[in-house]
Amino acid sequence: MKIIMLGAPGAGKGTQAAKIAAKYQIPHISTGDIFRANLKAGTELGKKAKEYMDQGLLVPDELTCDLVTDRVSKDDCANGYILDGFPRTIPQAKALEAALEKMGTDVDYAINVDVPDANIVKRMSGRRACVTCGATYHIEHIPPKVEGICDRCGGELILRSDDKPETVQKRLDVYHAQTQPLIDFYESKKKLVTVDGTKDMEDVFADITAVLEG
Ligand code: AP5
Ligand code: ZN
């Protein structure tokens, strides 16, 4: 099963992608997580990506496309994968399509997690992410068992540097201008599935699995 997650920043793509990856035993490939891991490791890619991420802008396609097309060609992706945060522009979608075509495959579903902008800023200000493993929580909706500590690995939970309200608004503007056109792109290819992302996390997951198993 080869799945793309679409949706605004904070729509819950990462939350649902992690659940899908665990249920179907497929790799969860998040470009945001890859950039953040590179930043933590002090690589050139991480330093370059940070310049854009901290402003709420997209990292240029030339730093992003090869990274993902190389990753999906690895052996552990043979049975499928879930792409979270990629593609985010039409050129990225076309680069992915071309790379998969060369491999003789294509994506099966583009799942659009639909949440209105008004809900997003509130969600982002409550999000906490683990500095060690990247797991995501929400102080009201999905709290950790112990405040400030990751359930999974015991790591420290922090507010992401790009989750400040002014940066979130910029990310939303960038989403509408550059990423939203992908909804029509995948609709025209009959791959699009839209789920109501304002529902409770478990209900959103049930709606997604109903489609994947339907
Ligand atoms: P990235 O890390 O991909 O961020 P994003 O797309 O902005 O998405 P988020 O991770 O913010 O949100 P999400 O939809 O995964 O929501 P989550 O599940 O955490 O990218 C960061 C940056 O990297 C970009 O701005 C860009 O600069 C760069 N980048 C990445 N990929 C790129 C690419 N392909 N090209 C160029 N640049 C790229 O949920 C949000 C919160 O809500 C959490 O607290 C969660 O617990 C809570 N929540 C989730 N579901 C629910 C629910 N149903 N009800 C209530 N709360 C919920
Ligand atoms: Zn953790």
Side-chain angles (χ1 to χ4, degrees):
M1 205 153 21
K2 302 181 183 72
I3 302 168
I4 289 170
M5 298 302 288
L6 295 176
K13 303 180 297 293
T15 301
Q16 296 299 329
K19 291 171 75 65
I20 297 166
K23 180 170 169 103
Y24 298 103
Q25 295 289 299
I26 51 177
H28 172 190
I29 302 167
S30 157
T31 38
D33 285 352
I34 293 171
F35 292 139
R36 283 184 287 276
N38 271 273
L39 179 62
K40 205 172 152 198
T43 70
E44 274 311 303
L45 174 65
K47 285 178 203 156
K48 280 191 197 148
K50 183 180 162 56
E51 291 171 27
Y52 299 93
M53 291 169 81
D54 279 353
Q55 296 180 65
L57 301 173
L58 295 184
V59 176
D61 290 344
E62 54 271 27
L63 293 179
T64 311
C65 290
D66 289 353
L67 187 102
V68 177
T69 52
D70 287 352
R71 179 68 186 86
V72 297
S73 66
K74 298 271 188 289
D75 288 349
D76 66 337
C77 288
N79 291 328
Y81 44 80
I82 178 150
L83 294 179
D84 166 14
F86 183 96
R88 242 182 168 94
T89 62
I90 294 283
Q92 288 183 10
K94 291 189 171 160
L96 177 67
E97 194 175 38
L100 294 181
E101 205 174 300
K102 271 193 200 157
M103 292 157 60
T105 70
D106 197 0
V107 296
D108 300 305
Y109 298 100
I111 300 174
N112 176 32
V113 183
D114 188 31
V115 177
D117 286 11
N119 301 33
I120 298 281
V121 179
K122 197 161 169 262
R123 270 201 193 176
M124 302 294 239
S125 60
R127 171 162 62 183
R128 296 294 180 271
C130 174
V131 285
T132 309
C133 78
T136 299
Y137 301 84
H138 191 281
I139 50 175
E140 283 170 38
H141 309 299
I142 307 156
K145 291 193 183 82
V146 180
E147 194 184 322
I149 306 286
C150 178
D151 292 351
R152 202 192 293 170
C153 77
E156 184 195 357
L157 301 182
I158 56 153
L159 183 72
R160 253 166 58 177
S161 63
D162 59 349
D163 279 352
K164 291 177 290 207
E166 60 276 21
T167 315
V168 169
Q169 190 52 56
K170 179 70 195 168
R171 287 162 64 197
L172 277 171
D173 295 345
V174 167
Y175 166 76
H176 289 301
Q178 294 182 261
T179 308
Q180 207 171 10
L182 293 178
I183 294 176
D184 288 342
F185 181 88
Y186 286 107
E187 170 82 73
S188 73
K189 295 186 183 300
K190 309 257 181 287
K191 307 279 185 198
L192 189 77
V193 175
T194 295
V195 293
D196 178 357
T198 64
K199 292 185 187 174
D200 184 74
M201 178 178 83
E202 292 302 334
D203 293 337
V204 179
F205 186 55
D207 288 348
I208 293 174
T209 50
V211 170
L212 300 181
E213 292 169 14

